[in-house]
Amino acid sequence: MQLPLQLNSFEKMEHTLKVAVVGSGTMGNGIAQAFAMQGHSVALADISKDGLDRALSTVKKSLERFVAKEKMTAKEAEAIGDRIHPICNDLGAAVADVDIAIEAVFEREDVKKEVFSVLGEQAPSEALLATNTSSISVTSIASAASGPERVIGMHFMNPVPLMKLVELVRGERTSDATVERAREIAEGIGKTVGVAEDYAGFVSNRILMPMLNEAAFALHEGVATREDIDTIMKLGMNHPMGPLTLSDFIGLDVIVDILDYLLKQTGDPKFRACPMLRRMVQAGKLGRKSGEGFYDYSE
Ligand code: CAA
C-alpha cells in the first residue's frame, strides 16, 4: 500500500507550526503523530496521565511499523516522537502560543463546548481553532468560543497517519480565510481536503453510517453471513475493508452514538440504529477495542 508520506519533505518545510491537540485518544494521538511526522511541534493535552502514556505508546508502535517497513529510520522516528509534548491537565498552557488548536475529545457536545470556551479565551486571537468532531454541529461547538469565525471542522480519518482525507466543515460563522488556512495546513501535512457544509453527518458520516448500519441489518435479517457480507462489499466495491470489519475498527459504540445523534438532528428514520448493533453495544461488544464485535479479536 502506498503511504501518504513525504518524509524527505522535512528539509523543504519553510515554517514549522505550533500545534495543540486536545484529547489523546485514537484520533488525538493520530493527529499529533501526523503533524509531528511533518516536522511540526505538538502539545498533546489531556486530563489523564494514563491516557497520555497510552497515546505516546500508540504513537511509538505506529512509528516502529514505519521503521520496520523502511519508510523512515529509527533516528527519524525518535525525532518525531520527541516533537510530541504531553501536557496533563493544563489546557491553557497547551494552547498559549499555538498557530492551531485541534480538539479531539470524545463526542459530547457539552464537553466540546467547554473546551472551545477555554480555547477562545486562552489561545492567541489569530490561532485557528478546529474540531475533529465526526458529526456534532460545528456551528454549535463554535458558538462557545470567542471568535467563531476562526472555528472550523477538521475531520481526520482513522488511522490518521495513513489516511489521506481531511473533511473540512464550514460552520455558519466560519470565515473563508479560515477555510483556506485550514486547507493550507492540511495539505502541508500531506492530506487532501474535501469541504462540506455543516449539516448532520457532513458528507462522510451521512453516507458511511447508513452503509455500516445496513450491513448490520443485513446480518440481523439473515441475508448473508458476516464473512459473505464483508467479502461481497470488500471485493465487489473495492473497499479496503468489508463494512462489518470496518464497524469493528471504528467501534460499534461510536457508530450507535453517531446514528443516534443523526436521527435526533434530522428525524430521518434512515439513521435508526439496527437493534442488533445496539444490543451488542449493551453487551460490551464494541469491536476491536473490547476484543469482540462482529468478529473475535481475543487472540
Ligand atoms: N501506523 C503505521 N502503519 C500502519 C498502521 C498504523 N496505525 N496501520 C497499518 N499500517 C501499515 C501496515 O504496517 C502496512 O504497511 P505496508 O503496506 O508497508 O506493509 C500498511 O499500513 C497496510 O496495513 P495492513 O496490511 O495491516 O492492512 P491494510 O492494507 O488493510 O491497510 C488500513 C490498513 C489503512 C487501515 C486499510 O484497511 C483501510 O484503509 N481501511 C479503511 C479505513 C477507514 O475506512 N477509515 C475511516 C474510518 S471512519 C473514520 O475514521 C471517521 C469517522 O467519523 C467514523
Side-chain angles (χ1 to χ4, degrees):
M1 147 182 201
Q2 188 60 38
L3 298 171
L5 282 178
Q6 298 161 322
L7 292 170
N8 53 5
S9 64
F10 286 141
E11 305 85 54
K12 286 187 231 140
M13 206 167 44
E14 282 159 22
H15 175 56
T16 59
L17 295 170
K18 283 192 181 156
V19 182
V21 178
V22 186
S24 69
T26 307
M27 296 308 288
N29 70 58
I31 296 167
Q33 182 182 336
F35 276 93
M37 281 168 74
Q38 294 298 331
H40 302 297
S41 161
V42 186
L44 182 58
D46 205 311
I47 51 172
S48 153
K49 167 90 175 58
D50 288 351
L52 285 166
D53 289 344
R54 272 196 305 276
L56 295 181
S57 130
T58 303
V59 170
K60 190 160 179 271
K61 279 189 209 131
S62 170
L63 293 172
E64 279 165 4
R65 290 172 82 162
F66 287 119
V67 173
K69 303 282 174 186
E70 296 182 357
K71 309 273 183 200
M72 66 176 68
T73 64
K75 209 167 154 215
E76 278 169 334
E78 199 185 326
I80 291 165
D82 288 347
R83 279 188 213 111
I84 302 177
H85 310 285
I87 296 189
C88 191
N89 233 340
D90 196 348
L91 185 51
V95 302
D97 62 346
V98 292
D99 299 300
I100 174 170
I102 304 174
E103 167 276 313
V105 302
F106 58 99
E107 287 286 285
R108 271 210 7 224
E109 195 165 346
D110 55 338
V111 180
K112 287 184 185 285
K113 281 183 154 180
E114 236 172 82
V115 170
F116 271 80
S117 137
V118 177
L119 296 184
E121 293 297 320
Q122 309 272 345
S125 58
E126 65 283 5
L128 193 105
L129 306 181
T131 170
N132 178 56
T133 183
S134 57
S135 54
I136 297 171
S137 161
V138 171
T139 304
S140 170
I141 294 170
S143 71
S146 64
E149 66 287 343
R150 61 186 170 134
V151 177
I152 189 165
M154 284 182 88
H155 182 204
F156 290 80
M157 303 290 135
N158 184 26
V160 182
L162 301 184
M163 300 291 285
K164 275 292 257 178
L165 179 75
V166 177
E167 181 178 39
L168 295 183
V169 184
R170 191 201 316 257
E172 178 69 23
R173 293 185 184 276
T174 307
S175 70
D176 289 346
T178 296
V179 176
E180 282 323 302
R181 180 75 182 122
R183 179 194 297 278
E184 201 177 277
I185 291 173
E187 289 177 353
I189 58 164
K191 306 294 188 197
T192 300
V193 304
V195 182
E197 298 299 326
D198 187 22
Y199 291 106
F202 321 134
V203 171
S204 56
N205 280 329
R206 181 188 180 121
I207 296 173
L208 178 63
M209 290 300 139
M211 186 191 80
L212 300 182
N213 199 31
E214 199 55 38
F217 270 116
L219 183 65
H220 187 47
E221 292 171 12
V223 177
T225 64
R226 59 184 185 181
E227 288 82 4
D228 284 335
I229 291 169
D230 271 351
T231 301
I232 289 165
M233 293 303 290
K234 181 176 168 174
L235 301 184
M237 316 302 149
N238 221 2
H239 291 179
M241 289 172 164
L244 300 175
T245 303
L246 180 57
S247 298
D248 280 352
F249 181 70
I250 292 172
L252 305 191
D253 53 337
V254 173
I255 292 172
V256 169
D257 281 352
I258 295 176
L259 285 166
D260 284 349
Y261 183 82
L262 298 183
L263 180 62
K264 192 163 154 232
Q265 291 296 306
T266 63
D268 191 329
K270 75 181 171 197
F271 295 118
R272 181 178 72 95
C274 172
M276 186 181 62
L277 206 47
R278 197 178 294 285
R279 199 175 62 171
M280 288 171 76
V281 172
Q282 285 162 347
K285 297 180 182 178
L286 307 181
R288 274 196 201 187
K289 62 185 165 189
S290 72
E292 190 183 2
F294 289 109
Y295 296 91
D296 182 4
Y297 303 91
S298 51
E299 298 290 301

